[in-house]
Amino acid sequence: FFGSCLQLTGSLFAGPIGEAQRLAAELFGARETWFLCNGSSGGVLASLLACVKVHRTGRGSPPAGGGSEGGEEASLRPAGSLVVLPRNSHVSSVNALVLAGEP
């Protein structure tokens, strides 16, 4: 049963779901749009991990399809850079920074 459902819906990058994401991006005037599937925790983790990676490497947005650009992992951020969160931040934001190795 579940196999046949997955064949109908495709993956997040192809089939009806991928088409819906492309249409949503067009509607929002964005280059790409991804649908959130793990509640707010998954979205916060993904967005903060991506921001930390971009900040460390000094590169723009990751390539389409989530592939890795490879290469340097050394921090290029200015010495003393801080991540500041409000006290009432979602707990997953702290978890994302711990996973990213941020102090």
Side-chain angles (χ1 to χ4, degrees):
F1 170 77
F2 292 112
S4 61
C5 289
L6 288 175
Q7 288 174 348
L8 292 173
T9 59
S11 73
L12 289 179
F13 306 108
I17 296 173
E19 180 62 18
Q21 290 180 148
R22 282 186 288 284
L23 290 171
E26 184 180 322
L27 177 70
F28 302 146
R31 185 176 29 191
E32 292 183 78
T33 296
W34 294 278
F35 294 155
L36 178 62
C37 339
N38 287 322
S40 58
S41 295
V44 170
L45 282 166
S47 61
L48 279 175
L49 287 170
C51 287
V52 167
K53 179 178 180 177
V54 167
H55 188 65
R56 281 185 180 162
T57 61
R59 296 183 179 143
S61 47
S68 174
E69 291 178 321
E72 64 191 83
E73 288 296 323
S75 177
L76 299 177
R77 64 180 177 225
S81 290
L82 296 175
V83 176
V84 180
L85 298 172
R87 185 171 38 172
N88 63 346
S89 295
H90 196 281
V91 70
S92 62
S93 58
V94 175
N95 294 341
L97 295 176
V98 169
L99 286 171
E102 289 297 306

Coordinates of all heavy atoms in Angstrom, one line a residue:
F1 N 0.8 -1.2 0.0 CA 0.0 0.0 0.0 C 0.9 1.3 0.0 O 0.7 2.2 -0.8 CB -1.0 0.0 1.2 CG -1.7 1.3 1.4 CD1 -2.7 1.6 0.6 CD2 -1.3 2.2 2.4 CE1 -3.4 2.8 0.8 CE2 -1.9 3.4 2.6 CZ -3.0 3.7 1.8
F2 N 1.8 1.4 1.0 CA 2.6 2.6 1.1 C 3.5 2.8 -0.2 O 3.7 3.9 -0.6 CB 3.5 2.6 2.3 CG 2.6 2.7 3.6 CD1 2.5 1.6 4.5 CD2 1.9 3.9 3.8 CE1 1.7 1.7 5.6 CE2 1.1 4.0 5.0 CZ 1.0 2.9 5.9
G3 N 4.0 1.7 -0.7 CA 4.8 1.8 -1.9 C 4.0 2.4 -3.1 O 4.5 3.2 -3.8
S4 N 2.8 2.0 -3.2 CA 2.0 2.5 -4.3 C 1.7 4.0 -4.1 O 1.6 4.8 -5.0 CB 0.7 1.8 -4.5 OG -0.1 1.8 -3.3
C5 N 1.5 4.4 -2.8 CA 1.3 5.8 -2.5 C 2.5 6.7 -2.8 O 2.4 7.8 -3.4 CB 0.9 6.0 -1.0 SG -0.7 5.4 -0.6
L6 N 3.7 6.2 -2.5 CA 4.9 6.9 -2.8 C 5.1 7.0 -4.3 O 5.6 8.1 -4.7 CB 6.1 6.2 -2.1 CG 6.2 6.3 -0.6 CD1 7.4 5.5 -0.1 CD2 6.3 7.8 -0.2
Q7 N 4.8 6.0 -5.0 CA 4.9 6.1 -6.5 C 4.0 7.2 -7.1 O 4.3 7.9 -8.0 CB 4.6 4.8 -7.2 CG 5.7 3.8 -6.9 CD 5.3 2.4 -7.5 OE1 4.1 2.2 -7.8 NE2 6.2 1.5 -7.6
L8 N 2.8 7.4 -6.5 CA 1.9 8.4 -6.9 C 2.4 9.8 -6.6 O 2.2 10.8 -7.4 CB 0.5 8.2 -6.3 CG -0.2 6.9 -6.8 CD1 -1.5 6.8 -5.9 CD2 -0.6 7.0 -8.2
T9 N 3.0 10.0 -5.4 CA 3.4 11.3 -5.0 C 4.8 11.7 -5.4 O 5.1 12.9 -5.5 CB 3.3 11.5 -3.5 OG1 4.1 10.5 -2.9 CG2 1.9 11.3 -3.0
G10 N 5.6 10.8 -5.7 CA 7.0 11.1 -6.1 C 7.9 11.4 -4.9 O 7.5 11.2 -3.8
S11 N 9.0 12.0 -5.2 CA 9.9 12.5 -4.1 C 9.7 14.0 -3.9 O 8.9 14.6 -4.6 CB 11.3 12.1 -4.4 OG 11.8 13.0 -5.4
L12 N 10.5 14.6 -3.1 CA 10.4 16.0 -2.9 C 11.0 16.8 -4.1 O 10.9 18.0 -4.2 CB 11.1 16.4 -1.6 CG 10.4 16.0 -0.3 CD1 11.3 16.5 0.9 CD2 9.0 16.6 -0.2
F13 N 11.7 16.1 -4.9 CA 12.4 16.8 -6.1 C 11.8 16.4 -7.4 O 12.2 17.0 -8.4 CB 13.9 16.5 -6.0 CG 14.5 16.9 -4.7 CD1 14.9 15.9 -3.9 CD2 14.6 18.2 -4.3 CE1 15.5 16.2 -2.6 CE2 15.2 18.5 -3.1 CZ 15.6 17.5 -2.3
A14 N 10.8 15.5 -7.5 CA 10.3 15.1 -8.7 C 8.8 14.8 -8.5 O 8.3 14.7 -7.4 CB 11.0 13.8 -9.2
G15 N 8.1 14.6 -9.6 CA 6.7 14.2 -9.5 C 5.8 15.4 -9.1 O 6.2 16.6 -9.1
P16 N 4.6 15.1 -8.6 CA 3.7 16.2 -8.2 C 4.2 17.1 -7.1 O 4.0 18.3 -7.1 CB 2.4 15.4 -7.7 CG 2.5 14.1 -8.3 CD 4.0 13.8 -8.5
I17 N 5.0 16.5 -6.1 CA 5.5 17.3 -5.0 C 6.6 18.3 -5.6 O 6.5 19.5 -5.3 CB 6.1 16.5 -3.9 CG1 5.0 15.6 -3.3 CG2 6.8 17.3 -2.9 CD1 5.5 14.6 -2.3
G18 N 7.4 17.9 -6.4 CA 8.4 18.7 -7.0 C 7.8 19.8 -7.9 O 8.2 21.0 -7.8
E19 N 6.8 19.4 -8.6 CA 6.1 20.4 -9.4 C 5.4 21.5 -8.6 O 5.4 22.7 -8.9 CB 5.0 19.7 -10.3 CG 4.2 20.7 -11.2 CD 5.1 21.4 -12.2 OE1 6.2 21.0 -12.5 OE2 4.6 22.4 -12.7
A20 N 4.8 21.0 -7.5 CA 4.1 22.0 -6.5 C 5.1 22.9 -5.9 O 4.9 24.1 -5.8 CB 3.4 21.2 -5.4
Q21 N 6.3 22.4 -5.6 CA 7.4 23.3 -5.1 C 7.8 24.3 -6.1 O 8.1 25.5 -5.8 CB 8.6 22.5 -4.6 CG 8.3 21.7 -3.3 CD 9.4 20.9 -2.8 OE1 9.5 20.7 -1.6 NE2 10.3 20.4 -3.7
R22 N 8.0 23.9 -7.4 CA 8.3 24.8 -8.4 C 7.3 25.9 -8.6 O 7.6 27.1 -8.8 CB 8.6 24.1 -9.7 CG 9.9 23.4 -9.8 CD 10.2 22.8 -11.2 NE 9.4 21.6 -11.4 CZ 9.6 20.4 -10.9 NH1 10.6 20.2 -10.1 NH2 8.8 19.3 -11.2
L23 N 6.0 25.5 -8.6 CA 4.9 26.5 -8.8 C 4.8 27.4 -7.6 O 4.6 28.6 -7.7 CB 3.6 25.7 -8.9 CG 3.4 25.0 -10.2 CD1 2.1 24.1 -10.1 CD2 3.3 25.9 -11.4
A24 N 5.1 26.9 -6.4 CA 5.1 27.8 -5.2 C 6.2 28.8 -5.3 O 6.0 30.0 -5.0 CB 5.2 26.9 -3.9
A25 N 7.4 28.4 -5.7 CA 8.5 29.3 -5.9 C 8.2 30.4 -6.9 O 8.5 31.6 -6.7 CB 9.8 28.5 -6.3
E26 N 7.5 30.0 -8.0 CA 7.1 31.0 -9.0 C 6.1 32.0 -8.4 O 6.3 33.2 -8.6 CB 6.5 30.3 -10.2 CG 6.1 31.2 -11.3 CD 5.5 30.4 -12.5 OE1 6.0 29.2 -12.8 OE2 4.6 30.9 -13.1
L27 N 5.2 31.5 -7.6 CA 4.2 32.3 -7.0 C 4.8 33.3 -6.0 O 4.5 34.5 -6.0 CB 3.1 31.5 -6.3 CG 2.0 32.2 -5.6 CD1 1.1 32.9 -6.5 CD2 1.3 31.3 -4.7
F28 N 5.8 32.8 -5.2 CA 6.4 33.6 -4.2 C 7.5 34.5 -4.8 O 8.1 35.4 -4.1 CB 7.1 32.8 -3.1 CG 6.2 31.9 -2.4 CD1 6.6 30.6 -2.0 CD2 4.8 32.2 -2.2 CE1 5.7 29.8 -1.3 CE2 4.0 31.3 -1.5 CZ 4.4 30.1 -1.1
G29 N 7.9 34.3 -6.1 CA 8.9 35.1 -6.7 C 10.3 34.7 -6.2 O 11.2 35.5 -6.1
A30 N 10.4 33.4 -5.8 CA 11.7 32.9 -5.2 C 12.3 32.0 -6.3 O 11.7 31.5 -7.2 CB 11.4 32.1 -4.0
R31 N 13.6 31.8 -6.1 CA 14.4 31.0 -7.0 C 14.0 29.5 -6.7 O 13.8 28.7 -7.6 CB 15.9 31.2 -6.7 CG 16.8 30.4 -7.6 CD 18.2 30.7 -7.4 NE 18.4 31.1 -6.0 CZ 19.5 31.6 -5.5 NH1 20.5 31.8 -6.2 NH2 19.6 31.9 -4.2
E32 N 13.8 29.1 -5.4 CA 13.4 27.8 -5.1 C 12.6 27.8 -3.8 O 12.7 28.8 -3.0 CB 14.6 26.9 -4.8 CG 15.5 26.6 -6.0 CD 16.6 25.6 -5.7 OE1 16.3 24.4 -5.6 OE2 17.7 26.1 -5.6
T33 N 11.7 26.9 -3.6 CA 10.9 26.7 -2.4 C 10.9 25.3 -2.0 O 10.7 24.4 -2.9 CB 9.4 27.2 -2.7 OG1 9.5 28.6 -3.0 CG2 8.6 27.0 -1.5
W34 N 11.0 25.0 -0.8 CA 11.0 23.6 -0.3 C 9.8 23.6 0.8 O 9.7 24.5 1.6 CB 12.3 23.2 0.4 CG 13.4 23.1 -0.5 CD1 13.7 22.1 -1.3 CD2 14.4 24.1 -0.7 NE1 14.9 22.4 -2.1 CE2 15.3 23.6 -1.7 CE3 14.6 25.4 -0.2 CZ2 16.4 24.3 -2.2 CZ3 15.7 26.1 -0.7 CH2 16.6 25.6 -1.6
F35 N 9.1 22.5 0.7 CA 8.0 22.3 1.7 C 8.6 21.7 2.9 O 9.5 20.8 2.9 CB 6.9 21.4 1.1 CG 6.2 21.9 -0.1 CD1 5.6 21.1 -1.0 CD2 6.1 23.3 -0.2 CE1 4.9 21.6 -2.0 CE2 5.4 23.8 -1.3 CZ 4.8 23.0 -2.2
L36 N 8.1 22.1 4.1 CA 8.6 21.7 5.4 C 7.8 20.4 5.7 O 6.6 20.3 5.7 CB 8.3 22.8 6.4 CG 8.7 22.5 7.8 CD1 10.2 22.3 7.9 CD2 8.2 23.7 8.7
C37 N 8.6 19.4 6.1 CA 7.9 18.1 6.4 C 8.2 17.7 7.9 O 8.5 17.1 8.1 CB 8.4 16.9 5.6 SG 9.0 17.2 4.1
N38 N 8.8 18.2 8.8 CA 9.0 17.6 10.1 C 8.6 18.6 11.2 O 9.1 18.7 12.2 CB 10.5 17.2 10.3 CG 10.8 16.0 9.5 OD1 10.0 15.1 9.4 ND2 12.0 16.0 9.0
G39 N 7.6 19.4 10.9 CA 7.1 20.4 11.8 C 8.2 21.5 12.0 O 9.1 21.6 11.2
S40 N 7.9 22.4 12.9 CA 8.8 23.5 13.1 C 10.2 23.1 13.5 O 11.2 23.8 13.0 CB 8.2 24.5 14.1 OG 8.1 23.9 15.3
S41 N 10.4 22.1 14.2 CA 11.8 21.7 14.6 C 12.6 21.3 13.5 O 13.8 21.8 13.4 CB 11.7 20.5 15.6 OG 11.1 20.8 16.8
G42 N 12.1 20.6 12.5 CA 12.9 20.2 11.3 C 13.2 21.4 10.5 O 14.3 21.5 10.0
G43 N 12.3 22.4 10.4 CA 12.6 23.6 9.6 C 13.6 24.5 10.3 O 14.5 25.0 9.6
V44 N 13.5 24.6 11.6 CA 14.5 25.5 12.3 C 15.9 24.8 12.2 O 16.9 25.5 11.9 CB 14.0 25.7 13.8 CG1 15.2 26.3 14.6 CG2 12.8 26.5 13.8
L45 N 15.9 23.5 12.4 CA 17.2 22.8 12.3 C 17.9 23.0 10.9 O 19.0 23.4 10.8 CB 17.1 21.3 12.6 CG 17.0 20.9 14.1 CD1 16.5 19.5 14.2 CD2 18.3 21.1 14.8
A46 N 17.1 22.8 9.9 CA 17.6 22.9 8.5 C 18.0 24.3 8.2 O 19.1 24.5 7.6 CB 16.5 22.4 7.5
S47 N 17.2 25.3 8.6 CA 17.6 26.6 8.2 C 18.8 27.1 9.0 O 19.7 27.8 8.4 CB 16.4 27.6 8.4 OG 16.0 27.6 9.8
L48 N 18.9 26.8 10.3 CA 20.1 27.3 11.0 C 21.4 26.6 10.6 O 22.4 27.2 10.5 CB 19.9 27.2 12.5 CG 19.1 28.3 13.1 CD1 18.8 28.1 14.6 CD2 19.8 29.6 13.0
L49 N 21.3 25.3 10.3 CA 22.4 24.5 9.9 C 22.9 25.1 8.5 O 24.1 25.2 8.3 CB 22.2 23.0 9.8 CG 22.1 22.3 11.1 CD1 21.6 20.9 10.9 CD2 23.4 22.3 11.8
A50 N 22.0 25.4 7.6 CA 22.3 26.0 6.3 C 23.0 27.4 6.5 O 24.0 27.7 5.9 CB 21.1 26.1 5.4
C51 N 22.4 28.2 7.4 CA 23.0 29.5 7.6 C 24.4 29.4 8.2 O 25.3 30.2 7.8 CB 22.1 30.3 8.6 SG 20.6 30.9 7.9
V52 N 24.6 28.5 9.1 CA 26.0 28.4 9.7 C 26.9 27.9 8.6 O 28.0 28.4 8.5 CB 25.9 27.4 10.9 CG1 27.3 27.0 11.3 CG2 25.2 28.0 12.1
K53 N 26.5 27.0 7.8 CA 27.4 26.5 6.7 C 27.7 27.6 5.8 O 28.9 27.8 5.4 CB 26.7 25.4 5.9 CG 27.6 24.8 4.8 CD 27.0 23.7 4.1 CE 27.9 23.2 3.0 NZ 27.4 22.1 2.3
V54 N 26.8 28.4 5.3 CA 27.0 29.5 4.4 C 27.9 30.5 5.1 O 28.9 31.1 4.5 CB 25.7 30.2 4.0 CG1 25.9 31.5 3.3 CG2 24.9 29.2 3.0
H55 N 27.7 30.8 6.4 CA 28.5 31.8 7.1 C 30.0 31.3 7.2 O 30.9 32.1 7.0 CB 27.9 32.1 8.4 CG 28.6 33.2 9.2 ND1 28.6 34.5 8.7 CD2 29.3 33.2 10.3 CE1 29.2 35.3 9.6 NE2 29.7 34.5 10.5
R56 N 30.1 30.0 7.5 CA 31.5 29.5 7.6 C 32.3 29.5 6.3 O 33.5 29.7 6.3 CB 31.4 28.0 8.1 CG 31.2 27.9 9.6 CD 31.2 26.5 10.0 NE 31.0 26.4 11.4 CZ 30.6 25.3 12.0 NH1 30.5 24.2 11.3 NH2 30.4 25.2 13.3
T57 N 31.6 29.1 5.2 CA 32.3 29.0 4.0 C 32.4 30.3 3.2 O 33.1 30.4 2.2 CB 31.7 27.9 3.1 OG1 30.3 28.3 2.8 CG2 31.7 26.6 3.8
G58 N 31.5 31.3 3.5 CA 31.5 32.5 2.8 C 30.8 32.4 1.5 O 31.0 33.2 0.6
R59 N 30.1 31.3 1.2 CA 29.5 31.0 -0.1 C 28.0 31.4 0.0 O 27.4 31.4 1.1 CB 29.6 29.6 -0.4 CG 31.0 29.2 -0.6 CD 31.1 27.8 -1.1 NE 32.5 27.5 -1.3 CZ 33.1 26.3 -1.0 NH1 32.3 25.3 -0.5 NH2 34.3 26.1 -1.2
G60 N 27.4 31.6 -1.2 CA 26.0 31.8 -1.2 C 25.1 30.6 -0.9 O 25.6 29.7 -0.3
S61 N 23.9 30.6 -1.5 CA 23.0 29.5 -1.2 C 23.6 28.2 -1.7 O 24.3 28.2 -2.7 CB 21.7 29.8 -1.7 OG 21.7 30.3 -3.0
P62 N 23.2 27.1 -1.1 CA 23.7 25.8 -1.6 C 23.1 25.4 -2.9 O 22.1 26.0 -3.3 CB 23.2 24.8 -0.5 CG 22.2 25.5 0.3 CD 22.4 27.0 0.1
P63 N 23.7 24.5 -3.7 CA 23.2 24.2 -5.0 C 21.8 23.5 -5.0 O 21.5 22.9 -4.0 CB 24.3 23.2 -5.6 CG 25.0 22.7 -4.4 CD 24.9 23.7 -3.3
A64 N 21.1 23.7 -6.0 CA 19.8 23.0 -6.1 C 19.9 21.5 -5.9 O 20.8 20.9 -6.4 CB 19.1 23.4 -7.5
G65 N 18.9 20.9 -5.3 CA 18.9 19.5 -5.1 C 19.7 19.1 -3.8 O 19.8 17.9 -3.5
G66 N 20.2 20.1 -3.1 CA 20.9 19.7 -1.8 C 22.2 19.1 -1.9 O 22.8 18.6 -0.9
G67 N 22.9 19.2 -3.1 CA 24.2 18.6 -3.2 C 25.2 19.4 -2.5 O 25.0 20.5 -2.1
S68 N 26.4 18.8 -2.3 CA 27.5 19.5 -1.6 C 28.4 20.1 -2.6 O 28.7 19.6 -3.6 CB 28.2 18.4 -0.7 OG 29.3 19.0 -0.2
E69 N 28.8 21.3 -2.2 CA 29.8 22.0 -3.1 C 31.2 21.5 -2.8 O 32.2 21.7 -3.5 CB 29.8 23.5 -2.8 CG 28.5 24.1 -3.3 CD 28.5 25.6 -3.0 OE1 28.9 26.0 -1.9 OE2 28.0 26.4 -3.8
G70 N 31.4 20.7 -1.7 CA 32.7 20.2 -1.3 C 33.6 21.3 -0.9 O 33.3 22.5 -0.9
G71 N 34.9 21.0 -0.6 CA 35.9 22.0 -0.3 C 36.0 22.4 1.1 O 35.8 21.6 2.0
E72 N 36.3 23.6 1.3 CA 36.7 24.1 2.6 C 35.6 24.0 3.7 O 34.5 24.3 3.4 CB 37.2 25.5 2.5 CG 36.1 26.5 2.1 CD 36.7 27.8 1.7 OE1 37.1 28.0 0.5 OE2 36.6 28.7 2.5
E73 N 36.0 23.7 4.9 CA 35.1 23.7 6.0 C 35.6 24.7 7.1 O 35.0 24.9 8.1 CB 35.0 22.3 6.6 CG 34.2 21.3 5.7 CD 32.8 21.8 5.6 OE1 32.2 22.3 6.5 OE2 32.2 21.6 4.5
A74 N 36.8 25.3 6.9 CA 37.4 26.2 7.8 C 36.5 27.4 7.9 O 35.9 27.9 7.0 CB 38.8 26.6 7.4
S75 N 36.4 28.0 9.1 CA 35.6 29.2 9.3 C 36.3 30.4 8.7 O 37.4 30.7 9.0 CB 35.4 29.3 10.8 OG 34.7 30.5 11.1
L76 N 35.5 31.1 7.9 CA 35.9 32.4 7.3 C 35.3 33.6 8.0 O 35.4 34.7 7.5 CB 35.6 32.4 5.8 CG 36.3 31.3 5.0 CD1 35.9 31.4 3.6 CD2 37.8 31.4 5.1
R77 N 34.5 33.3 9.0 CA 33.8 34.4 9.7 C 34.7 35.3 10.5 O 35.8 34.8 10.9 CB 32.7 33.9 10.5 CG 33.2 33.1 11.7 CD 32.1 32.5 12.5 NE 32.7 31.7 13.5 CZ 32.2 30.5 13.9 NH1 31.2 30.1 13.3 NH2 32.8 29.8 14.8
P78 N 34.4 36.5 10.7 CA 35.2 37.4 11.5 C 35.4 36.8 12.9 O 34.5 36.2 13.5 CB 34.5 38.7 11.5 CG 33.5 38.6 10.5 CD 33.2 37.2 10.2
A79 N 36.6 37.0 13.5 CA 36.8 36.6 14.9 C 35.8 37.2 15.8 O 35.5 38.4 15.6 CB 38.3 36.9 15.3
G80 N 35.3 36.5 16.7 CA 34.4 37.0 17.7 C 32.9 37.0 17.2 O 32.1 37.6 17.9
S81 N 32.6 36.5 16.1 CA 31.3 36.4 15.6 C 30.4 35.7 16.6 O 30.8 34.7 17.2 CB 31.2 35.7 14.2 OG 31.7 36.5 13.2
L82 N 29.2 36.1 16.8 CA 28.3 35.5 17.7 C 27.0 35.2 17.1 O 26.5 35.9 16.1 CB 28.0 36.4 18.9 CG 29.2 36.8 19.8 CD1 28.7 37.8 20.8 CD2 29.7 35.6 20.5
V83 N 26.3 34.2 17.6 CA 24.9 33.9 17.2 C 24.1 34.3 18.4 O 24.3 33.8 19.5 CB 24.7 32.4 16.9 CG1 23.2 32.2 16.6 CG2 25.5 32.0 15.7
V84 N 23.2 35.2 18.3 CA 22.4 35.7 19.4 C 20.9 35.3 19.1 O 20.4 35.5 18.1 CB 22.4 37.3 19.5 CG1 21.6 37.8 20.6 CG2 23.9 37.7 19.6
L85 N 20.4 34.6 20.2 CA 19.0 34.2 20.1 C 18.2 34.7 21.3 O 18.8 34.9 22.4 CB 18.9 32.6 20.2 CG 19.6 31.8 19.1 CD1 19.6 30.3 19.5 CD2 19.0 32.0 17.8
P86 N 16.9 35.1 21.0 CA 16.1 35.5 22.2 C 15.9 34.4 23.2 O 16.0 33.2 22.8 CB 14.8 36.0 21.5 CG 14.8 35.4 20.2 CD 16.2 35.1 19.8
R87 N 15.6 34.7 24.4 CA 15.4 33.7 25.4 C 14.2 32.8 25.1 O 14.3 31.6 25.5 CB 15.1 34.5 26.7 CG 15.0 33.6 27.9 CD 15.0 34.3 29.2 NE 14.2 35.5 29.2 CZ 13.9 36.2 30.3 NH1 14.3 35.8 31.4 NH2 13.2 37.3 30.1
N88 N 13.2 33.3 24.4 CA 12.1 32.4 24.1 C 12.2 31.7 22.7 O 11.2 31.3 22.1 CB 10.8 33.2 24.1 CG 10.8 34.3 23.1 OD1 11.8 34.7 22.5 ND2 9.6 34.9 22.9
S89 N 13.4 31.5 22.2 CA 13.7 30.8 21.0 C 13.2 29.4 21.1 O 13.2 28.8 22.1 CB 15.1 30.8 20.6 OG 15.6 32.1 20.3
H90 N 12.8 28.8 20.0 CA 12.4 27.4 19.9 C 13.6 26.6 20.3 O 14.7 26.9 19.9 CB 12.0 27.1 18.5 CG 11.2 25.8 18.3 ND1 11.8 24.6 18.3 CD2 9.9 25.5 18.2 CE1 10.9 23.6 18.2 NE2 9.8 24.2 18.1
V91 N 13.4 25.6 21.1 CA 14.5 24.8 21.6 C 15.4 24.1 20.5 O 16.6 23.9 20.6 CB 14.0 23.7 22.6 CG1 13.2 22.6 21.9 CG2 15.2 23.1 23.4
S92 N 14.7 23.9 19.3 CA 15.5 23.3 18.2 C 16.5 24.3 17.7 O 17.5 23.8 17.0 CB 14.5 22.9 17.1 OG 13.8 24.0 16.6
S93 N 16.4 25.6 17.9 CA 17.4 26.5 17.4 C 18.7 26.3 18.2 O 19.8 26.3 17.7 CB 17.0 28.0 17.6 OG 16.6 28.3 18.9
V94 N 18.6 26.0 19.5 CA 19.8 25.7 20.3 C 20.4 24.4 19.9 O 21.6 24.2 19.7 CB 19.4 25.7 21.8 CG1 20.6 25.3 22.7 CG2 19.0 27.1 22.3
N95 N 19.5 23.4 19.6 CA 20.0 22.1 19.2 C 20.7 22.2 17.8 O 21.7 21.6 17.6 CB 18.8 21.1 19.0 CG 18.1 20.8 20.3 OD1 18.7 21.0 21.4 ND2 16.9 20.3 20.3
A96 N 20.2 23.0 16.9 CA 20.9 23.2 15.6 C 22.3 23.8 15.8 O 23.2 23.4 15.1 CB 20.0 24.1 14.7
L97 N 22.4 24.8 16.7 CA 23.7 25.4 16.9 C 24.7 24.4 17.6 O 25.9 24.4 17.2 CB 23.6 26.6 17.7 CG 22.8 27.8 17.0 CD1 22.6 28.9 18.0 CD2 23.5 28.2 15.7
V98 N 24.2 23.5 18.4 CA 25.0 22.5 19.0 C 25.5 21.5 17.9 O 26.6 21.1 17.9 CB 24.3 21.8 20.2 CG1 25.0 20.5 20.6 CG2 24.1 22.7 21.4
L99 N 24.5 21.1 17.1 CA 24.9 20.2 16.0 C 25.9 20.8 15.0 O 26.7 20.1 14.5 CB 23.6 19.8 15.2 CG 22.7 18.8 15.9 CD1 21.4 18.7 15.1 CD2 23.3 17.5 16.0
A100 N 25.8 22.1 14.9 CA 26.7 22.8 14.0 C 28.1 23.1 14.6 O 29.0 23.5 13.9 CB 26.1 24.1 13.5
G101 N 28.2 22.8 15.9 CA 29.5 23.0 16.6 C 29.7 24.4 17.0 O 30.8 24.8 17.2
E102 N 28.6 25.2 17.1 CA 28.8 26.6 17.5 C 28.8 26.7 19.0 O 28.0 25.9 19.7 CB 27.6 27.4 16.9 CG 27.6 27.6 15.5 CD 28.8 28.4 15.0 OE1 29.1 29.5 15.5 OE2 29.6 27.9 14.2
P103 N 29.6 27.5 19.5 CA 29.7 27.7 21.0 C 28.4 28.3 21.6 O 27.7 29.0 20.9 CB 30.9 28.6 21.2 CG 31.2 29.2 19.9 CD 30.6 28.3 18.9

